[in-house]
Amino acid sequence: MPRIKAPTVAEHRVRQREALLNAAKELLIEGGVSAVTPAAVGAAAGLSRPSVYEYFSSGADILTAVIEDAFPRGNAELQSALDSVTSPAERLNVYVRVTLRLAAEGVHRPAAALAAAQLPAECLARLSELHREQAAPFLEALRDLEVPELTITARLLRGVLEAAMAAIESGASLPVVTERTLVFVRSAVAPTR
């Protein structure tokens, strides 16, 4: 019988699952989707492969759990920061600042690794849904600002944000990247005369 390393069995199971998810995220970031196997995740978490199957039925199940785990913190922080902001221009400003800060903290890395991967259809669908939820405040602010060509403008600005996140991940200064990104965003939404 394995040793329980928590006050209760329920807490032990929560901790074990969390350890498996953390191991899966690291494997995903370092080696891509193909590195996320039950055996590899178990080994990285210090558990046997059979123990992994107590929590996840397959590698795809692990990836689904990583997807579900990758977004809540970022989305919650974004929502919290946006809750008291009413002006659409300020909502864009806060959205960019929080998104780039989260990128600097590495919060987006599992989601970015998943987005670049060959995933099962159900994983892709859920990933897409979570991305839409995350982008909703950004799109709402653009809509409220009545930017021309909303869909094209939103896609272009999303590209700017993705490039900014990549720059931060490559070691660029968060304050510099944030201010330059805001210059691009503000110029894209400025009323044309």
Side-chain angles (χ1 to χ4, degrees), residues 45-111:
L47 298 172
S48 68
R49 187 177 62 152
S51 293
V52 175
Y53 288 108
E54 293 178 28
Y55 299 89
F56 304 104
S57 62
S58 64
D61 193 24
I62 295 169
L63 290 171
T64 300
V66 169
I67 289 169
E68 292 295 334
D69 191 63
F71 283 84
R73 175 181 168 216
N75 288 357
E77 285 197 40
L78 268 171
Q79 193 55 55
S80 176
L82 291 166
D83 279 346
S84 63
V85 181
T86 56
S87 143
E90 187 57 24
R91 284 198 320 262
L92 276 182
N93 181 44
V94 169
Y95 185 93
V96 168
R97 288 184 183 284
V98 172
T99 297
L100 296 181
R101 179 182 52 77
L102 291 171
E105 293 171 6
V107 172
H108 82 287
R109 290 178 73 204

Side-chain angles (χ1 to χ4, degrees), residues 129-163:
E129 182 182 330
L130 289 164
H131 269 275
R132 280 192 303 278
E133 284 176 21
Q134 191 175 60
F138 184 73
L139 289 171
E140 181 183 319
L142 291 175
R143 194 174 295 114
D144 290 350
L145 287 167
E146 299 177 356
V147 297
E149 304 292 341
L150 176 64
T151 303
I152 293 170
T153 303
R155 288 178 76 185
L156 291 169
L157 289 177
R158 191 73 203 153
V160 169
L161 274 174
E162 288 171 10

